mmCIF file of all heavy atoms in Angstrom:
data_model
loop_
_atom_site.group_PDB
_atom_site.id
_atom_site.type_symbol
_atom_site.label_atom_id
_atom_site.label_comp_id
_atom_site.label_asym_id
_atom_site.label_seq_id
_atom_site.Cartn_x
_atom_site.Cartn_y
_atom_site.Cartn_z
ATOM 1 N N VAL A 1 0.854 -1.185 0.002
ATOM 2 C CA VAL A 1 0.004 0.001 0.004
ATOM 3 C C VAL A 1 0.879 1.231 0.004
ATOM 4 O O VAL A 1 1.808 1.329 0.787
ATOM 5 C CB VAL A 1 -0.920 0.026 1.251
ATOM 6 C CG1 VAL A 1 -1.766 1.250 1.259
ATOM 7 C CG2 VAL A 1 -1.775 -1.231 1.286
ATOM 8 N N GLN A 2 0.599 2.142 -0.897
ATOM 9 C CA GLN A 2 1.338 3.393 -0.946
ATOM 10 C C GLN A 2 0.355 4.509 -0.625
ATOM 11 O O GLN A 2 -0.755 4.537 -1.191
ATOM 12 C CB GLN A 2 1.947 3.616 -2.320
ATOM 13 C CG GLN A 2 2.975 2.535 -2.673
ATOM 14 C CD GLN A 2 3.439 2.660 -4.114
ATOM 15 O OE1 GLN A 2 2.700 3.074 -4.980
ATOM 16 N NE2 GLN A 2 4.693 2.307 -4.338
ATOM 17 N N ALA A 3 0.729 5.406 0.254
ATOM 18 C CA ALA A 3 -0.160 6.491 0.639
ATOM 19 C C ALA A 3 -0.220 7.528 -0.463
ATOM 20 O O ALA A 3 0.754 7.798 -1.143
ATOM 21 C CB ALA A 3 0.322 7.138 1.936
ATOM 22 N N GLY A 4 -1.394 8.118 -0.631
ATOM 23 C CA GLY A 4 -1.576 9.235 -1.566
ATOM 24 C C GLY A 4 -2.012 8.796 -2.939
ATOM 25 O O GLY A 4 -1.913 7.659 -3.344
ATOM 26 N N SER A 5 -2.547 9.745 -3.675
ATOM 27 C CA SER A 5 -2.965 9.609 -5.080
ATOM 28 C C SER A 5 -3.622 8.292 -5.432
ATOM 29 O O SER A 5 -2.983 7.327 -5.803
ATOM 30 C CB SER A 5 -1.767 9.838 -5.989
ATOM 31 O OG SER A 5 -1.286 11.134 -5.801
ATOM 32 N N PHE A 6 -4.922 8.246 -5.269
ATOM 33 C CA PHE A 6 -5.698 7.072 -5.574
ATOM 34 C C PHE A 6 -5.491 6.664 -7.021
ATOM 35 O O PHE A 6 -5.575 7.467 -7.912
ATOM 36 C CB PHE A 6 -7.191 7.353 -5.311
ATOM 37 C CG PHE A 6 -8.053 6.146 -5.424
ATOM 38 C CD1 PHE A 6 -8.077 5.216 -4.413
ATOM 39 C CD2 PHE A 6 -8.821 5.948 -6.532
ATOM 40 C CE1 PHE A 6 -8.884 4.105 -4.505
ATOM 41 C CE2 PHE A 6 -9.625 4.830 -6.642
ATOM 42 C CZ PHE A 6 -9.671 3.909 -5.617
ATOM 43 N N ALA A 7 -5.178 5.425 -7.254
ATOM 44 C CA ALA A 7 -4.953 4.911 -8.608
ATOM 45 C C ALA A 7 -5.544 3.516 -8.691
ATOM 46 O O ALA A 7 -5.802 2.872 -7.676
ATOM 47 C CB ALA A 7 -3.455 4.886 -8.907
ATOM 48 N N PRO A 8 -5.751 2.999 -9.921
ATOM 49 C CA PRO A 8 -6.298 1.643 -10.052
ATOM 50 C C PRO A 8 -5.317 0.575 -9.575
ATOM 51 O O PRO A 8 -4.137 0.816 -9.484
ATOM 52 C CB PRO A 8 -6.572 1.519 -11.541
ATOM 53 C CG PRO A 8 -5.833 2.594 -12.210
ATOM 54 C CD PRO A 8 -5.529 3.648 -11.190
ATOM 55 N N PHE A 9 -5.883 -0.606 -9.300
ATOM 56 C CA PHE A 9 -5.049 -1.731 -8.916
ATOM 57 C C PHE A 9 -4.146 -2.106 -10.084
ATOM 58 O O PHE A 9 -4.533 -1.992 -11.242
ATOM 59 C CB PHE A 9 -5.927 -2.950 -8.586
ATOM 60 C CG PHE A 9 -6.677 -2.814 -7.317
ATOM 61 C CD1 PHE A 9 -7.989 -2.407 -7.298
ATOM 62 C CD2 PHE A 9 -6.069 -3.119 -6.115
ATOM 63 C CE1 PHE A 9 -8.682 -2.297 -6.123
ATOM 64 C CE2 PHE A 9 -6.752 -3.007 -4.923
ATOM 65 C CZ PHE A 9 -8.073 -2.596 -4.925
ATOM 66 N N SER A 10 -2.978 -2.586 -9.794
ATOM 67 C CA SER A 10 -2.105 -3.130 -10.815
ATOM 68 C C SER A 10 -1.294 -4.265 -10.210
ATOM 69 O O SER A 10 -1.060 -4.296 -9.011
ATOM 70 C CB SER A 10 -1.152 -2.036 -11.350
ATOM 71 O OG SER A 10 -0.305 -1.599 -10.328
ATOM 72 N N VAL A 11 -0.902 -5.198 -11.033
ATOM 73 C CA VAL A 11 -0.132 -6.325 -10.550
ATOM 74 C C VAL A 11 1.345 -6.005 -10.667
ATOM 75 O O VAL A 11 1.835 -5.637 -11.719
ATOM 76 C CB VAL A 11 -0.461 -7.608 -11.346
ATOM 77 C CG1 VAL A 11 0.384 -8.776 -10.879
ATOM 78 C CG2 VAL A 11 -1.946 -7.921 -11.211
ATOM 79 N N ALA A 12 2.063 -6.147 -9.565
ATOM 80 C CA ALA A 12 3.490 -5.854 -9.548
ATOM 81 C C ALA A 12 4.263 -7.051 -10.116
ATOM 82 O O ALA A 12 3.725 -8.145 -10.249
ATOM 83 C CB ALA A 12 3.943 -5.558 -8.123
ATOM 84 N N SER A 13 5.532 -6.848 -10.435
ATOM 85 C CA SER A 13 6.354 -7.899 -11.043
ATOM 86 C C SER A 13 6.477 -9.117 -10.140
ATOM 87 O O SER A 13 6.640 -10.223 -10.639
ATOM 88 C CB SER A 13 7.716 -7.343 -11.397
ATOM 89 O OG SER A 13 8.365 -6.896 -10.230
ATOM 90 N N ASN A 14 6.381 -8.956 -8.829
ATOM 91 C CA ASN A 14 6.499 -10.102 -7.932
ATOM 92 C C ASN A 14 5.126 -10.731 -7.635
ATOM 93 O O ASN A 14 4.959 -11.422 -6.649
ATOM 94 C CB ASN A 14 7.210 -9.703 -6.642
ATOM 95 C CG ASN A 14 6.406 -8.707 -5.812
ATOM 96 O OD1 ASN A 14 5.333 -8.282 -6.235
ATOM 97 N ND2 ASN A 14 6.928 -8.338 -4.662
ATOM 98 N N ASP A 15 4.165 -10.477 -8.517
ATOM 99 C CA ASP A 15 2.814 -11.010 -8.415
ATOM 100 C C ASP A 15 2.040 -10.485 -7.200
ATOM 101 O O ASP A 15 0.984 -11.003 -6.888
ATOM 102 C CB ASP A 15 2.788 -12.535 -8.411
ATOM 103 C CG ASP A 15 3.219 -13.091 -9.756
ATOM 104 O OD1 ASP A 15 3.004 -12.413 -10.786
ATOM 105 O OD2 ASP A 15 3.769 -14.188 -9.754
ATOM 106 N N ALA A 16 2.595 -9.510 -6.509
ATOM 107 C CA ALA A 16 1.868 -8.899 -5.395
ATOM 108 C C ALA A 16 0.897 -7.872 -5.968
ATOM 109 O O ALA A 16 1.125 -7.285 -7.008
ATOM 110 C CB ALA A 16 2.831 -8.224 -4.431
ATOM 111 N N LEU A 17 -0.180 -7.681 -5.268
ATOM 112 C CA LEU A 17 -1.151 -6.679 -5.664
ATOM 113 C C LEU A 17 -0.667 -5.330 -5.169
ATOM 114 O O LEU A 17 -0.466 -5.149 -3.962
ATOM 115 C CB LEU A 17 -2.526 -7.021 -5.074
ATOM 116 C CG LEU A 17 -3.707 -6.188 -5.501
ATOM 117 C CD1 LEU A 17 -3.900 -6.287 -7.011
ATOM 118 C CD2 LEU A 17 -4.960 -6.657 -4.789
ATOM 119 N N ALA A 18 -0.462 -4.388 -6.042
ATOM 120 C CA ALA A 18 0.017 -3.061 -5.662
ATOM 121 C C ALA A 18 -1.069 -2.062 -5.974
ATOM 122 O O ALA A 18 -1.675 -2.087 -7.025
ATOM 123 C CB ALA A 18 1.286 -2.712 -6.411
ATOM 124 N N TRP A 19 -1.326 -1.162 -5.058
ATOM 125 C CA TRP A 19 -2.313 -0.118 -5.287
ATOM 126 C C TRP A 19 -1.995 1.070 -4.400
ATOM 127 O O TRP A 19 -1.219 0.981 -3.471
ATOM 128 C CB TRP A 19 -3.715 -0.649 -5.060
ATOM 129 C CG TRP A 19 -3.971 -1.175 -3.679
ATOM 130 C CD1 TRP A 19 -3.540 -2.342 -3.163
ATOM 131 C CD2 TRP A 19 -4.754 -0.550 -2.644
ATOM 132 N NE1 TRP A 19 -3.981 -2.498 -1.875
ATOM 133 C CE2 TRP A 19 -4.727 -1.425 -1.523
ATOM 134 C CE3 TRP A 19 -5.452 0.638 -2.552
ATOM 135 C CZ2 TRP A 19 -5.372 -1.129 -0.354
ATOM 136 C CZ3 TRP A 19 -6.111 0.922 -1.369
ATOM 137 C CH2 TRP A 19 -6.069 0.041 -0.297
ATOM 138 N N ARG A 20 -2.612 2.144 -4.703
ATOM 139 C CA ARG A 20 -2.433 3.358 -3.915
ATOM 140 C C ARG A 20 -3.701 3.634 -3.127
ATOM 141 O O ARG A 20 -4.778 3.651 -3.683
ATOM 142 C CB ARG A 20 -2.121 4.546 -4.818
ATOM 143 C CG ARG A 20 -0.813 4.446 -5.512
ATOM 144 C CD ARG A 20 -0.571 5.734 -6.299
ATOM 145 N NE ARG A 20 0.644 5.630 -7.051
ATOM 146 C CZ ARG A 20 1.840 5.981 -6.573
ATOM 147 N NH1 ARG A 20 1.954 6.444 -5.369
ATOM 148 N NH2 ARG A 20 2.896 5.876 -7.326
ATOM 149 N N ALA A 21 -3.548 3.855 -1.859
ATOM 150 C CA ALA A 21 -4.681 4.226 -1.015
ATOM 151 C C ALA A 21 -4.780 5.739 -1.007
ATOM 152 O O ALA A 21 -3.770 6.439 -0.978
ATOM 153 C CB ALA A 21 -4.466 3.715 0.405
ATOM 154 N N PRO A 22 -5.996 6.253 -1.023
ATOM 155 C CA PRO A 22 -6.125 7.715 -0.976
ATOM 156 C C PRO A 22 -5.695 8.241 0.387
ATOM 157 O O PRO A 22 -5.836 7.581 1.404
ATOM 158 C CB PRO A 22 -7.614 7.944 -1.211
ATOM 159 C CG PRO A 22 -8.270 6.660 -0.828
ATOM 160 C CD PRO A 22 -7.278 5.575 -1.087
ATOM 161 N N SER A 23 -5.137 9.442 0.379
ATOM 162 C CA SER A 23 -4.815 10.103 1.631
ATOM 163 C C SER A 23 -6.122 10.458 2.335
ATOM 164 O O SER A 23 -7.215 10.385 1.719
ATOM 165 C CB SER A 23 -4.002 11.369 1.375
ATOM 166 O OG SER A 23 -4.815 12.335 0.728
ATOM 167 N N SER A 24 -6.068 10.877 3.579
ATOM 168 C CA SER A 24 -7.309 11.233 4.279
ATOM 169 C C SER A 24 -7.982 12.429 3.601
ATOM 170 O O SER A 24 -9.208 12.455 3.492
ATOM 171 C CB SER A 24 -7.025 11.522 5.752
ATOM 172 O OG SER A 24 -6.119 12.589 5.898
ATOM 173 N N ALA A 25 -7.207 13.361 3.098
ATOM 174 C CA ALA A 25 -7.799 14.520 2.396
ATOM 175 C C ALA A 25 -8.468 14.070 1.085
ATOM 176 O O ALA A 25 -9.563 14.542 0.741
ATOM 177 C CB ALA A 25 -6.733 15.571 2.113
ATOM 178 N N GLU A 26 -7.812 13.171 0.371
ATOM 179 C CA GLU A 26 -8.387 12.660 -0.877
ATOM 180 C C GLU A 26 -9.657 11.857 -0.615
ATOM 181 O O GLU A 26 -10.648 11.996 -1.341
ATOM 182 C CB GLU A 26 -7.374 11.811 -1.624
ATOM 183 C CG GLU A 26 -6.223 12.618 -2.231
ATOM 184 C CD GLU A 26 -5.078 11.775 -2.723
ATOM 185 O OE1 GLU A 26 -4.811 10.708 -2.123
ATOM 186 O OE2 GLU A 26 -4.453 12.176 -3.717
ATOM 187 N N MET A 27 -9.640 11.059 0.440
ATOM 188 C CA MET A 27 -10.824 10.255 0.775
ATOM 189 C C MET A 27 -11.980 11.170 1.158
ATOM 190 O O MET A 27 -13.123 10.942 0.760
ATOM 191 C CB MET A 27 -10.504 9.288 1.915
ATOM 192 C CG MET A 27 -11.557 8.220 2.104
ATOM 193 S SD MET A 27 -11.571 7.044 0.737
ATOM 194 C CE MET A 27 -13.201 7.330 0.099
ATOM 195 N N ALA A 28 -11.674 12.207 1.934
ATOM 196 C CA ALA A 28 -12.721 13.166 2.325
ATOM 197 C C ALA A 28 -13.312 13.836 1.082
ATOM 198 O O ALA A 28 -14.535 14.021 0.995
ATOM 199 C CB ALA A 28 -12.153 14.207 3.282
#
């Protein structure tokens, strides 16, 4: 999970699911 800038899910090279969680301001 990476904080900031909401983005779509994507599959990382190590087959892990990588995505960006919205910051609290973005979620609000």
Side-chain angles (χ1 to χ4, degrees):
V1 179
Q2 298 172 328
S5 298
F6 187 76
F9 288 97
S10 64
V11 177
S13 60
N14 65 358
D15 293 331
L17 187 60
W19 59 286
R20 294 184 183 270
S23 68
S24 60
E26 289 168 327
M27 193 70 243

